[in-house]
Coordinates of all heavy atoms in Angstrom, one line a residue:
M13 N -2.3 163.9 -83.0 CA -1.4 164.7 -82.1 C -1.9 166.1 -82.0 O -2.3 166.7 -83.0 CB 0.0 164.7 -82.8 CG 1.0 165.6 -82.1 SD 2.6 165.8 -83.0 CE 2.2 167.1 -84.1
Y14 N -1.9 166.6 -80.8 CA -2.3 168.0 -80.6 C -1.3 169.0 -81.0 O -0.1 168.8 -80.6 CB -2.7 168.3 -79.1 CG -4.0 167.7 -78.7 CD1 -4.1 166.6 -77.8 CD2 -5.2 168.2 -79.2 CE1 -5.3 166.1 -77.5 CE2 -6.4 167.7 -78.8 CZ -6.5 166.6 -78.0 OH -7.7 166.1 -77.6
V15 N -1.6 169.9 -81.9 CA -0.8 171.0 -82.2 C -1.0 172.1 -81.3 O 0.0 172.7 -80.8 CB -1.0 171.5 -83.7 CG1 -0.3 172.7 -84.0 CG2 -0.7 170.4 -84.7
C16 N -2.2 172.4 -81.0 CA -2.6 173.5 -80.1 C -3.3 172.9 -78.8 O -4.4 172.5 -78.9 CB -3.5 174.5 -80.8 SG -4.0 175.8 -79.7
V17 N -2.6 172.9 -77.7 CA -3.1 172.3 -76.5 C -4.2 173.2 -75.9 O -5.2 172.8 -75.4 CB -2.0 172.1 -75.5 CG1 -2.5 171.6 -74.2 CG2 -0.9 171.1 -76.1
C18 N -4.0 174.5 -76.0 CA -4.9 175.5 -75.4 C -6.3 175.3 -76.0 O -7.3 175.4 -75.3 CB -4.5 176.9 -75.7 SG -3.0 177.4 -74.9
R19 N -6.4 175.1 -77.3 CA -7.7 175.0 -78.0 C -8.0 173.5 -78.4 O -9.0 173.3 -79.1 CB -7.7 175.9 -79.2 CG -7.5 177.3 -78.9 CD -8.7 177.9 -78.1 NE -8.4 179.3 -77.6 CZ -8.8 180.4 -78.2 NH1 -9.5 180.3 -79.3 NH2 -8.6 181.5 -77.7
A20 N -7.2 172.6 -78.0 CA -7.4 171.2 -78.3 C -7.6 170.9 -79.8 O -8.5 170.3 -80.2 CB -8.5 170.6 -77.5
V21 N -6.6 171.4 -80.6 CA -6.7 171.3 -82.0 C -5.6 170.3 -82.5 O -4.5 170.5 -82.1 CB -6.6 172.6 -82.8 CG1 -6.7 172.5 -84.3 CG2 -7.6 173.6 -82.2
T22 N -6.0 169.4 -83.3 CA -5.0 168.4 -83.7 C -4.3 168.7 -85.0 O -4.8 169.6 -85.7 CB -5.7 167.0 -83.9 OG1 -6.6 167.1 -85.0 CG2 -6.5 166.6 -82.7
D23 N -3.3 168.0 -85.3 CA -2.6 168.2 -86.6 C -3.5 168.0 -87.8 O -3.4 168.6 -88.8 CB -1.3 167.3 -86.7 CG -1.6 165.9 -86.6 OD1 -2.6 165.5 -85.9 OD2 -0.8 165.1 -87.1
V24 N -4.4 167.0 -87.7 CA -5.3 166.7 -88.8 C -6.2 167.9 -89.0 O -6.4 168.3 -90.2 CB -6.2 165.5 -88.4 CG1 -7.3 165.3 -89.4 CG2 -5.3 164.2 -88.3
Q25 N -6.7 168.6 -88.0 CA -7.5 169.8 -88.1 C -6.7 170.9 -88.7 O -7.2 171.7 -89.6 CB -8.1 170.2 -86.8 CG -9.1 169.2 -86.3 CD -9.5 169.5 -84.8 OE1 -8.7 169.3 -83.9 NE2 -10.7 169.9 -84.6
V26 N -5.5 171.1 -88.3 CA -4.7 172.2 -88.9 C -4.4 171.9 -90.3 O -4.5 172.8 -91.2 CB -3.4 172.4 -88.0 CG1 -2.4 173.4 -88.7 CG2 -3.7 172.8 -86.6
K27 N -4.0 170.7 -90.7 CA -3.7 170.3 -92.1 C -5.0 170.5 -92.9 O -4.8 171.0 -94.0 CB -3.2 168.9 -92.2 CG -1.8 168.7 -91.7 CD -1.4 167.2 -91.7 CE -0.1 167.0 -91.1 NZ 0.3 165.6 -91.0
A28 N -6.1 170.2 -92.4 CA -7.4 170.4 -93.2 C -7.6 171.9 -93.4 O -7.9 172.3 -94.5 CB -8.5 169.8 -92.4
A29 N -7.3 172.8 -92.4 CA -7.4 174.2 -92.6 C -6.5 174.7 -93.7 O -6.9 175.5 -94.5 CB -7.2 174.9 -91.3
I30 N -5.2 174.2 -93.7 CA -4.3 174.6 -94.7 C -4.7 174.1 -96.0 O -4.6 174.9 -97.0 CB -2.9 174.1 -94.3 CG1 -2.4 174.7 -93.0 CG2 -1.9 174.3 -95.4 CD1 -1.2 174.1 -92.3
Q31 N -5.1 172.9 -96.1 CA -5.6 172.4 -97.4 C -6.8 173.1 -98.0 O -7.0 173.2 -99.2 CB -5.9 170.9 -97.3 CG -4.6 170.0 -97.2 CD -4.9 168.6 -96.9 OE1 -6.1 168.2 -96.7 NE2 -3.9 167.7 -97.1
N32 N -7.6 173.7 -97.1 CA -8.7 174.5 -97.5 C -8.4 175.9 -97.7 O -9.3 176.7 -97.9 CB -9.9 174.3 -96.4 CG -10.5 173.0 -96.5 OD1 -10.6 172.4 -97.6 ND2 -10.9 172.4 -95.3
G33 N -7.1 176.3 -97.7 CA -6.7 177.6 -98.2 C -6.1 178.5 -97.1 O -5.8 179.7 -97.5
A34 N -6.0 178.1 -95.9 CA -5.4 178.9 -94.9 C -3.9 179.0 -95.2 O -3.2 178.0 -95.1 CB -5.6 178.4 -93.5
E35 N -3.4 180.2 -95.5 CA -2.0 180.4 -95.9 C -1.2 181.2 -94.8 O 0.0 181.4 -95.0 CB -1.9 181.2 -97.2 CG -2.6 180.5 -98.4 CD -2.5 181.3 -99.6 OE1 -2.5 182.5 -99.6 OE2 -2.5 180.6 -100.7
T36 N -1.8 181.6 -93.7 CA -1.1 182.3 -92.6 C -1.6 181.7 -91.3 O -2.7 181.0 -91.3 CB -1.4 183.8 -92.6 OG1 -2.8 184.0 -92.4 CG2 -1.0 184.4 -94.0
V37 N -0.8 181.9 -90.3 CA -1.3 181.5 -88.9 C -2.6 182.1 -88.6 O -3.5 181.4 -88.0 CB -0.2 181.8 -87.9 CG1 -0.7 181.4 -86.5 CG2 1.1 181.1 -88.2
A38 N -2.8 183.3 -88.9 CA -4.0 184.0 -88.6 C -5.2 183.3 -89.3 O -6.3 183.2 -88.7 CB -4.0 185.5 -89.0
C39 N -5.0 182.9 -90.5 CA -6.0 182.2 -91.3 C -6.4 180.8 -90.6 O -7.5 180.4 -90.5 CB -5.6 182.0 -92.7 SG -5.6 183.5 -93.7
V40 N -5.3 180.1 -90.2 CA -5.5 178.9 -89.5 C -6.3 179.1 -88.2 O -7.2 178.3 -87.9 CB -4.1 178.2 -89.2 CG1 -4.3 177.0 -88.3 CG2 -3.5 177.7 -90.5
T41 N -5.9 180.1 -87.5 CA -6.6 180.4 -86.2 C -8.1 180.7 -86.5 O -9.0 180.2 -85.8 CB -6.0 181.6 -85.5 OG1 -4.6 181.3 -85.3 CG2 -6.7 181.9 -84.2
R42 N -8.4 181.4 -87.6 CA -9.8 181.7 -87.9 C -10.5 180.4 -88.3 O -11.7 180.3 -88.0 CB -9.9 182.7 -89.0 CG -9.8 184.2 -88.6 CD -10.3 185.1 -89.6 NE -9.4 185.1 -90.8 CZ -8.3 185.9 -90.9 NH1 -8.0 186.6 -89.9 NH2 -7.6 185.8 -92.0
A43 N -9.8 179.5 -89.0 CA -10.5 178.3 -89.5 C -10.7 177.3 -88.4 O -11.8 176.6 -88.4 CB -9.6 177.7 -90.6
C44 N -9.7 177.1 -87.5 CA -9.9 176.0 -86.5 C -9.5 176.4 -85.1 O -9.5 175.5 -84.2 CB -9.1 174.8 -87.0 SG -7.3 175.1 -86.9
R45 N -9.2 177.7 -84.8 CA -9.0 178.2 -83.5 C -7.5 177.9 -83.0 O -7.1 178.4 -82.0 CB -10.0 177.8 -82.5 CG -11.4 178.2 -82.8 CD -12.5 177.7 -81.9 NE -12.1 177.0 -80.7 CZ -12.4 177.5 -79.5 NH1 -13.1 178.6 -79.4 NH2 -12.1 176.8 -78.4
A46 N -6.8 177.1 -83.7 CA -5.4 176.8 -83.3 C -4.6 178.1 -83.3 O -4.7 178.9 -84.2 CB -4.7 175.8 -84.2
G47 N -3.8 178.3 -82.2 CA -3.0 179.5 -82.1 C -3.7 180.7 -81.5 O -3.1 181.8 -81.4
G48 N -4.9 180.5 -81.1 CA -5.7 181.7 -80.7 C -5.6 182.0 -79.2 O -6.4 182.7 -78.7
D49 N -4.7 181.4 -78.5 CA -4.6 181.6 -77.1 C -3.2 182.0 -76.7 O -2.7 183.1 -77.0 CB -5.0 180.4 -76.3 CG -5.5 180.7 -74.9 OD1 -4.9 181.5 -74.2 OD2 -6.5 180.1 -74.4
C50 N -2.4 181.1 -76.1 CA -1.0 181.5 -75.6 C 0.0 181.8 -76.7 O 0.9 182.5 -76.5 CB -0.5 180.4 -74.7 SG 0.2 179.0 -75.5
G51 N -0.2 181.2 -77.9 CA 0.7 181.4 -79.0 C 1.8 180.4 -79.1 O 2.6 180.5 -80.1
A52 N 2.0 179.5 -78.2 CA 3.1 178.6 -78.2 C 3.1 177.7 -79.4 O 4.2 177.3 -79.8 CB 3.1 177.8 -76.9
C53 N 2.0 177.5 -80.0 CA 1.9 176.6 -81.1 C 2.1 177.3 -82.5 O 2.1 176.7 -83.5 CB 0.6 175.9 -81.1 SG -0.8 177.0 -81.2
R54 N 2.2 178.6 -82.5 CA 2.2 179.3 -83.8 C 3.4 179.0 -84.6 O 3.3 178.9 -85.8 CB 2.1 180.8 -83.5 CG 0.7 181.2 -83.0 CD 0.6 182.7 -82.7 NE -0.6 182.9 -81.9 CZ -0.8 183.9 -81.1 NH1 0.1 184.8 -80.9 NH2 -1.9 184.0 -80.4
G55 N 4.5 178.7 -84.0 CA 5.7 178.3 -84.8 C 5.5 177.0 -85.5 O 5.9 176.8 -86.7
M56 N 4.8 176.1 -84.8 CA 4.6 174.8 -85.4 C 3.6 174.9 -86.5 O 3.7 174.3 -87.6 CB 4.0 173.8 -84.4 CG 3.8 172.4 -84.9 SD 3.2 171.2 -83.7 CE 4.6 171.1 -82.6
I57 N 2.6 175.8 -86.3 CA 1.6 176.1 -87.4 C 2.3 176.7 -88.6 O 2.0 176.3 -89.8 CB 0.5 177.0 -86.9 CG1 -0.3 176.2 -85.8 CG2 -0.4 177.4 -88.1 CD1 -1.3 177.1 -85.1
E58 N 3.2 177.6 -88.4 CA 4.0 178.2 -89.5 C 4.8 177.1 -90.2 O 4.8 177.1 -91.5 CB 5.0 179.2 -89.0 CG 4.3 180.6 -88.6 CD 5.4 181.6 -88.1 OE1 6.6 181.3 -88.1 OE2 4.9 182.7 -87.7
D59 N 5.4 176.2 -89.5 CA 6.1 175.1 -90.1 C 5.2 174.2 -91.0 O 5.6 173.8 -92.1 CB 6.8 174.2 -89.1 CG 8.0 174.9 -88.4 OD1 8.4 176.0 -88.9 OD2 8.5 174.4 -87.3
M60 N 4.0 174.0 -90.5 CA 3.1 173.1 -91.2 C 2.6 173.8 -92.5 O 2.5 173.2 -93.5 CB 1.9 172.8 -90.3 CG 2.3 171.9 -89.2 SD 0.9 171.6 -88.0 CE -0.1 170.4 -89.0
I61 N 2.4 175.2 -92.4 CA 2.1 175.9 -93.6 C 3.2 175.9 -94.6 O 3.0 175.6 -95.8 CB 1.7 177.4 -93.2 CG1 0.4 177.4 -92.4 CG2 1.6 178.3 -94.5 CD1 0.2 178.8 -91.8
E62 N 4.5 176.1 -94.1 CA 5.6 176.0 -95.0 C 5.8 174.6 -95.6 O 6.1 174.5 -96.8 CB 6.9 176.4 -94.3 CG 8.1 176.6 -95.1 CD 9.3 177.1 -94.4 OE1 9.1 177.9 -93.4 OE2 10.4 176.7 -94.7
D63 N 5.6 173.6 -94.8 CA 5.8 172.2 -95.3 C 4.7 172.0 -96.4 O 5.0 171.3 -97.4 CB 5.6 171.2 -94.2 CG 6.8 171.1 -93.3 OD1 7.8 171.8 -93.6 OD2 6.7 170.5 -92.2
A64 N 3.5 172.4 -96.2 CA 2.5 172.2 -97.2 C 2.8 173.0 -98.5 O 2.6 172.4 -99.6 CB 1.1 172.7 -96.7
A65 N 3.4 174.2 -98.4 CA 3.7 174.9 -99.6 C 4.9 174.2 -100.3 O 4.9 174.1 -101.5 CB 4.1 176.3 -99.2
C66 N 5.9 173.8 -99.6 CA 7.0 173.1 -100.2 C 6.5 171.8 -100.9 O 6.9 171.4 -101.9 CB 8.1 172.7 -99.2 SG 9.0 174.1 -98.6
G67 N 5.6 171.1 -100.2 CA 5.0 169.9 -100.8 C 4.3 170.1 -102.1 O 4.5 169.3 -103.0
S68 N 3.6 171.2 -102.2 CA 2.9 171.5 -103.4 C 3.9 171.9 -104.5 O 3.5 171.8 -105.7 CB 1.9 172.6 -103.2 OG 2.5 173.9 -102.9
R69 N 5.1 172.4 -104.2 CA 6.1 172.8 -105.2 C 6.9 171.6 -105.6 O 7.7 171.7 -106.6 CB 7.0 173.9 -104.6 CG 6.3 175.2 -104.6 CD 7.2 176.3 -104.3 NE 6.6 177.2 -103.4 CZ 7.0 177.5 -102.1 NH1 8.1 177.0 -101.7 NH2 6.3 178.3 -101.4
R70 N 6.9 170.5 -104.9 CA 7.8 169.4 -105.2 C 7.5 168.8 -106.6 O 8.4 168.2 -107.2 CB 7.6 168.2 -104.2 CG 8.4 168.5 -102.9 CD 8.4 167.3 -102.0 NE 8.9 167.8 -100.7 CZ 8.2 167.7 -99.6 NH1 7.1 167.1 -99.6 NH2 8.7 168.1 -98.5
S71 N 6.3 169.0 -107.1 CA 5.9 168.4 -108.4 C 6.5 169.3 -109.5 O 6.5 168.9 -110.7 CB 4.4 168.3 -108.5 OG 3.8 169.5 -108.4
L72 N 7.0 170.5 -109.2 CA 7.5 171.4 -110.2 C 9.0 171.0 -110.5 O 9.7 170.7 -109.5 CB 7.4 172.9 -109.8 CG 5.9 173.3 -109.6 CD1 6.0 174.8 -109.0 CD2 5.2 173.3 -110.9
P73 N 9.4 171.2 -111.7 CA 10.9 170.9 -111.9 C 11.7 171.9 -111.2 O 11.4 173.1 -111.1 CB 11.0 171.1 -113.5 CG 9.8 171.8 -113.9 CD 8.7 171.6 -112.9
M74 N 12.9 171.5 -110.8 CA 13.8 172.4 -110.1 C 14.5 173.3 -111.0 O 14.9 174.4 -110.7 CB 14.9 171.5 -109.3 CG 14.3 170.7 -108.2 SD 13.7 171.6 -106.9 CE 15.2 172.1 -106.1
F75 N 14.7 172.9 -112.3 CA 15.3 173.8 -113.3 C 14.8 173.3 -114.6 O 14.2 172.2 -114.8 CB 16.8 173.7 -113.2 CG 17.3 172.3 -112.9 CD1 17.4 171.4 -114.0 CD2 17.7 171.9 -111.6 CE1 17.9 170.1 -113.7 CE2 18.1 170.6 -111.4 CZ 18.2 169.7 -112.5
P76 N 15.0 174.1 -115.7 CA 14.4 173.7 -117.0 C 15.0 172.4 -117.4 O 16.2 172.2 -117.2 CB 14.8 174.9 -117.9 CG 15.2 176.0 -117.0 CD 15.6 175.4 -115.7
P77 N 14.2 171.6 -118.1 CA 14.8 170.3 -118.6 C 15.8 170.7 -119.8 O 15.6 171.7 -120.4 CB 13.5 169.6 -119.2 CG 12.5 170.7 -119.4 CD 12.8 171.8 -118.4
P78 N 16.7 169.8 -120.0 CA 17.7 170.0 -121.1 C 17.0 170.1 -122.5 O 16.0 169.4 -122.7 CB 18.7 168.8 -121.0 CG 17.9 167.8 -120.2 CD 16.9 168.5 -119.3
K79 N 17.5 171.0 -123.3 CA 16.9 171.1 -124.6 C 17.3 169.9 -125.5 O 18.5 169.5 -125.5 CB 17.3 172.4 -125.3 CG 16.7 173.6 -124.5 CD 17.0 174.9 -125.2 CE 16.3 176.0 -124.4 NZ 16.6 177.3 -124.8
A80 N 16.4 169.5 -126.4 CA 16.8 168.4 -127.3 C 17.7 169.0 -128.4 O 17.6 170.1 -128.8 CB 15.5 167.8 -128.0
A81 N 18.8 168.2 -128.7 CA 19.8 168.7 -129.7 C 19.3 168.4 -131.1 O 18.5 167.6 -131.4 CB 21.1 168.0 -129.4
Ligands
FES110 S1 -0.9 176.0 -77.6 FE1 -2.0 176.9 -79.2 S2 -2.6 178.9 -78.4 FE2 -1.6 177.9 -76.8

């Protein structure tokens, strides 16, 4: 699926940029050119960055485990 129609960049390419360390829309744009034209896709790129960050935190405990009595 195209995330950025202007630059013909797919979700796979954007996800790869994020997995390779792009933590901002500007970083994604530098990595794969998505978001570098009209800007209509920048919100979606932000959502993908946030989703990736939330996904990486899912493995962490939500609160400390109960202490053994
Ligand atoms: S759709 Fe990505 S810059 Fe226009």
Side-chain angles (χ1 to χ4, degrees):
M13 170 187 89
Y14 282 110
V15 171
C16 179
V17 176
C18 293
R19 300 293 172 98
V21 182
T22 66
D23 58 334
V24 172
Q25 292 170 292
V26 172
K27 286 177 186 173
I30 294 168
Q31 286 175 349
N32 286 324
E35 296 179 335
T36 65
V37 174
C39 289
V40 170
T41 302
R42 275 195 294 275
C44 66
R45 302 175 8 118
D49 203 319
C50 77
C53 60
R54 290 180 193 152
M56 184 180 293
I57 295 169
E58 281 180 6
D59 289 347
M60 293 174 75
I61 292 168
E62 187 174 327
D63 287 350
C66 288
S68 67
R69 285 189 220 120
R70 280 191 194 120
S71 61
L72 299 175
M74 296 292 287
F75 41 81
K79 293 183 180 180

